[in-house]
Amino acid sequence: MGIVSPSPLFDADLLRRYDTLGPRYTSYPTAPQFSDRFGAKELREHASATNRREHPRPLSLYVHVPFCTSPCFYCGCNRVITRDKARGELYLDYLYREIARMAPLFDSGRPVVQLHFGGGTPNFLTPAQIADCVAELRSQFSFAAAATMDFSIELDPRFVTPADIGELARIGFNRASLGVQDFDPVVQKAVNRLQGIDETLAIIAACREHGMRSVNIDLIYGLPRQTREGFARTLDIVVGARPDRIAVYSYAHLPRLFKPQQRIAPEDLPDAETKLALLQCAIERLGAAGYVYIGMDHFALPGDELARAQARGDLHRNFMGYTTHAESDLVGFGVSAISHVGDSFSQNPRDIPGWERAIDDGRLPVWRGMPLDRDDVLRAEVIQELMCHGRLDYARIGNRFGIDFATYFADALPRLQALAEDGLLAFTRVGFQATPKGRLLLRVIAMCFDRYLPPAMEADATRFSRTI
């Protein structure tokens, strides 16, 4: 069994002091380090190496569906705005060709234990189209038994019906993530996402009726025109629906990087004090409602698999967020999708024409990536442990990698000491653990071990979001 992490404790002064720019660490190294020197040839080599392992890992599959029918101004995802449903059919044709080219890289005996559809808006596709896509994947890969399989999909409740949920459940989906962000109509108008409470609750009810074992709700704090009172009402509605998981993301205003955000008037954004108050409201209300803080904006009911995995000590984090499938290789399909195969990362082109061109040319659509050296793998393990469990055991890391932790990370220890003096972490007999105050600043602690961070983080304001 693992050690149950302490609940977060809100300390406004500490959060103000450490509200800086930094990676979210869905990977290490992070995507800005990827290079076009890594291509299809390198991906093939790494996939082959994973097959030759004594115990090849199972597979997690990710399918990116980029289309949305209307723009949400806050969005930083890779998506294409269109109402032309024919584009979805053409996209699937290319996707199937990519799947057929990628699947032979992996031994057929390696089971698929996780499948996730993300976007964009995956339910831009009809349930029948999604069923065809899943059938295509099943024809190319060996899927694990349904009882052990995680089948998840991101849904926009405005464009899905309870009947659609029944169809998705019959296909095999057992987890759904619903975008809400905020139910306050003033905020919804400011971000161009009008969404009714009743229609959203109806989809949650349909997920339960059709046997889905987990429902997640996404919220965002820091949106334009948001107030503590309005956000508290949203939290009350969401808590009343009792979803298994709730993600409360910090809005990252990066209009130079994400053009839709240029539609948001800077003066409509909450100031720093209000944004902190929104975060405090979420932490306090979700904690009072019995939700466990997993880390990095995520909360779950105590019986949820994420909470149980964290208690056992085997929680994992990747491009799909927190997951229970730590020991698997991630294979991504579709425009902008990222794969983590063996000791490598690779990413598809972020534009549809570039992705289609590679497939038409008979190539694996690899735009960029990177091989991981021994130091990358070691630091990734350290950062993974911090982001998932908020603690480090020096000897465990040292024994696994054959190093003396204090010697290898001699440059990080003074920075950790400074964080300890500020109350973010406490040294223990075996290493250190984030304090309740520090659990909201895990990114800051993890940054102590990131050798790729630029000397002046403020110069990278287009690449990283703020930590709060």
Side-chain angles (χ1 to χ4, degrees):
M1 291 292 289
I3 302 171
V4 178
S5 299
S7 299
L9 182 62
F10 188 88
D11 185 322
D13 290 337
L14 199 63
L15 294 173
R16 286 189 204 98
R17 200 181 325 158
Y18 283 99
D19 184 16
T20 184
L21 297 171
R24 293 185 60 82
Y25 292 119
T26 49
S27 73
Y28 180 86
T30 55
Q33 305 306 321
F34 298 176
S35 164
D36 60 9
R37 294 189 297 274
F38 188 102
K41 173 178 176 291
E42 289 74 19
L43 174 57
R44 289 180 186 276
E45 292 171 351
H46 281 271
S48 178
T50 64
N51 292 328
R52 295 194 302 271
R53 289 181 171 177
E54 183 179 358
H55 301 289
R57 293 177 173 179
L59 302 176
S60 292
L61 307 183
Y62 171 76
V63 177
H64 189 77
V65 181
F67 304 110
C68 295
T69 56
S70 65
C72 301
F73 295 159
Y74 57 80
C75 186
C77 298
N78 186 282
R79 83 283 185 279
V80 175
I81 305 302
T82 181
R83 293 183 180 272
D84 182 3
K85 293 295 183 175
R87 295 196 65 177
E89 194 62 44
L90 179 62
Y91 185 81
L92 287 174
D93 289 341
Y94 276 93
L95 189 71
Y96 298 161
R97 290 161 64 187
E98 181 188 5
I99 292 168
R101 198 156 292 140
M102 181 76 85
L105 301 186
F106 303 93
D107 286 349
S108 59
R110 299 175 66 177
V112 172
V113 295
Q114 184 179 38
L115 172 63
H116 181 76
F117 277 64
T121 304
N123 55 296
F124 178 89
L125 303 175
T126 66
Q129 288 175 317
I130 295 171
D132 288 344
C133 186
V134 171
E136 185 67 25
L137 289 166
R138 284 187 178 277
S139 74
Q140 300 282 351
F141 292 93
S142 300
F143 277 45
T148 61
M149 179 80 182
D150 269 354
F151 251 101
S152 56
I153 187 168
E154 298 169 13
L155 299 172
D156 185 334
R158 300 173 299 170
F159 304 108
V160 69
T161 68
D164 292 336
I165 298 299
E167 291 298 314
L168 293 173
R170 280 187 281 275
I171 294 166
F173 287 96
N174 51 32
R175 298 186 182 279
S177 182
L178 312 181
V180 170
Q181 324 320 342
D182 197 319
F183 280 128
D184 187 332
V186 175
V187 177
Q188 290 185 352
K189 183 177 180 180
V191 298
N192 195 44
R193 186 188 175 97
L194 299 178
Q195 179 172 333
I197 296 170
D198 290 343
E199 65 180 332
T200 304
L201 296 180
I203 298 305
I204 295 174
C207 288
R208 294 213 172 94
E209 178 186 345
H210 292 287
M212 290 200 181
R213 62 175 181 248
S214 179
V215 177
N216 174 79
I217 297 294
D218 285 344
L219 303 176
I220 298 179
Y221 70 96
L223 292 174
R225 311 293 296 276
Q226 226 168 17
T227 65
R228 182 183 172 100
E229 294 73 25
F231 197 50
R233 286 192 292 272
T234 291
L235 288 165
D236 287 345
I237 294 167
V238 170
V239 165
R242 209 66 179 164
D244 305 271
R245 304 173 185 177
I246 300 173
V248 188
Y249 296 106
S250 169
Y251 171 61
H253 191 59
L254 302 170
R256 284 185 291 174
L257 191 61
F258 306 119
K259 287 186 178 179
Q261 294 184 359
Q262 295 174 7
R263 305 285 296 274
I264 293 176
E267 61 270 19
D268 285 344
L269 293 172
D271 59 26
E273 292 302 307
T274 301
K275 191 173 183 182
L276 277 178
L278 294 169
L279 174 60
Q280 181 177 14
C281 180
I283 292 168
E284 292 176 350
R285 291 193 177 230
L286 295 180
Y291 284 86
V292 175
Y293 180 71
I294 302 299
M296 280 300 297
D297 323 309
H298 285 67
F299 299 78
L301 291 174
D304 183 82
E305 290 182 21
L306 286 186
R308 296 205 306 267
Q310 188 173 65
R312 289 193 307 266
D314 57 12
L315 185 66
H316 185 64
R317 182 170 170 79
N318 61 21
F319 295 102
M320 295 186 287
Y322 285 104
T323 173
T324 58
H325 295 287
E327 294 299 318
S328 62
D329 283 325
L330 172 63
V331 185
F333 299 101
V335 63
S336 80
I338 295 176
S339 297
H340 184 185
V341 175
D343 294 336
S344 75
F345 290 114
S346 56
Q347 184 176 22
N348 287 351
R350 291 180 57 85
D351 64 300
I352 290 180
W355 175 70
E356 292 176 338
R357 191 159 49 248
I359 295 171
D360 282 336
D361 291 344
R363 296 182 282 114
L364 289 174
V366 180
W367 166 42
R368 62 177 186 169
M370 72 180 296
L372 308 183
D373 61 26
R374 181 174 177 276
D375 180 74
D376 292 329
V377 175
L378 166 55
R379 292 175 185 271
E381 175 75 10
V382 168
I383 290 173
Q384 180 81 212
E385 186 71 10
L386 285 171
M387 299 305 295
C388 291
H389 304 291
R391 61 180 182 270
L392 274 185
D393 182 328
Y394 295 169
R396 192 187 72 81
I397 297 292
N399 292 338
R400 177 168 178 177
F401 291 94
I403 63 165
D404 177 77
F405 190 95
T407 302
Y408 195 95
F409 290 110
D411 59 333
L413 294 179
R415 295 195 289 271
L416 293 173
Q417 181 63 47
L419 298 183
E421 291 171 0
D422 273 349
L424 274 71
L425 60 90
F427 291 105
T428 66
R429 181 178 54 82
V430 298
F432 70 84
Q433 179 163 346
T435 63
K437 293 180 180 180
R439 290 209 68 210
L440 296 173
L441 292 164
L442 293 178
R443 292 165 71 181
V444 173
I445 301 173
M447 286 162 65
C448 294
F449 297 94
D450 188 339
R451 71 181 172 99
Y452 293 101
L453 285 182
M457 286 297 296
E458 294 299 328
D460 262 32
T462 60
R463 298 167 68 184
F464 299 117
S465 61
R466 302 201 74 84
T467 53
I468 298 298

